[in-house]
Amino acid sequence: MSMQTVNCFLPCRKGSERVPRKNIKPFAGFENGLIEVKLRQLIEAKGVGKVFLSTNDEEILDYAGTLNSDKIVLHKRCEELSSSQTSTDDLVSHALELIGEGDILWTHVTSPFVSAASYDAIVSRYWQALDDGHDSLMTTSVIHGFIWDENGPINYDRSVEKWPRTQTLPALHEINSAAFLAPAEIYRNDDDRIGQNPFIYGMDKIEGMDIDWPVDFQIAESMVLQGIAKV
């Protein structure tokens, strides 16, 4: 039986300020870098239907065009939606405009260790989450540790136990932006990529890694070259 699919929104703007040409510079032996890794993964994922690649980067459009995949839908994004000041809220409207209906998987090239198998597991869990009463799904990196803000501990009580074992601490979740999944109606009605009751899909440190800073790029590349992580 074929898997029920979702369409994918892949925003990929030109001109990263922290890591120049971050999305397409060579990465761990992949000549076209993170965009090559991500498009290969999404093309291979059985749970992903069309991949709407929205970018203002001609280099990325040219590369994606060479793949000759009927899954990839290229969209040259206007410059107004491509600056570092562009808000996620603006992109929510843009994703809805591009895809319009069905269920939308929003992902990024900066999550290189979310493989085709990972996407299939996420999509499968999404359908189950909807059946269980959730309205959407988002991925997180699970944190087991002593978390404080300026007022003290957030996830434990020092008056009960000053240093509990980390295994016994309640898990906290950091949104890692690897995947957001929601019906198009949520985009239309809530102007958001998740609803009011998202299922939290926890990932381990490697799978959920997000490349945001130059050092992240170097660490991720080293992990691939050392065989610690696969793309």
Side-chain angles (χ1 to χ4, degrees), residues 26-64:
F27 172 80
F30 291 87
E31 187 186 341
N32 293 284
L34 297 176
I35 187 66
E36 179 178 349
V37 169
K38 188 51 58 192
L39 288 177
R40 283 170 184 242
Q41 291 165 337
L42 290 168
I43 289 167
E44 198 185 316
K46 296 177 180 67
V48 175
K50 297 289 185 189
V51 178
F52 290 79
L53 171 59
S54 171
T55 182
N56 64 325
D57 191 328
E58 293 286 354
E59 208 178 346
I60 286 173
L61 288 168
D62 289 347
Y63 167 68

Side-chain angles (χ1 to χ4, degrees), residues 10-12 22-23 34-35 38 53 107-112 211:
L10 182 64
C12 197
K22 174 172 70 176
N23 298 327
L34 297 176
I35 187 66
K38 188 51 58 192
L53 171 59
T107 190
H108 295 98
V109 302
T110 46
S111 301
I211 295 178

Side-chain angles (χ1 to χ4, degrees), residues 41-162:
Q41 291 165 337
L42 290 168
I43 289 167
E44 198 185 316
K46 296 177 180 67
V48 175
K50 297 289 185 189
V51 178
F52 290 79
L53 171 59
S54 171
T55 182
N56 64 325
D57 191 328
E58 293 286 354
E59 208 178 346
I60 286 173
L61 288 168
D62 289 347
Y63 167 68
T66 67
L67 296 177
N68 296 318
S69 170
D70 56 6
K71 281 182 77 162
I72 300 173
V73 181
L74 299 179
H75 176 80
K76 187 171 189 330
R77 200 194 305 173
C78 64
E79 290 304 319
E80 294 80 57
L81 280 175
S82 304
S83 79
S84 55
Q85 277 72 50
T86 302
S87 72
T88 300
D89 290 357
D90 292 334
L91 285 182
V92 166
S93 305
H94 176 55
L96 180 63
E97 206 175 283
L98 281 181
I99 299 176
E101 57 190 26
D103 298 81
I104 300 171
L105 165 70
W106 181 315
T107 190
H108 295 98
V109 302
T110 46
S111 301
F113 304 133
V114 183
S115 64
S118 299
Y119 284 116
D120 287 343
I122 288 166
V123 171
S124 178
R125 191 65 187 84
Y126 170 68
W127 300 126
Q128 191 183 328
L130 293 184
D131 286 345
D132 292 343
H134 293 279
D135 59 7
S136 50
L137 175 150
M138 66 177 178
T139 58
T140 66
S141 294
V142 183
I143 302 169
H144 285 283
F146 301 102
I147 310 298
W148 285 47
D149 64 12
E150 62 276 6
N151 300 313
I154 289 174
N155 60 338
Y156 66 103
D157 185 345
R158 292 197 83 214
S159 68
V160 174
E161 191 175 4
K162 292 186 183 66

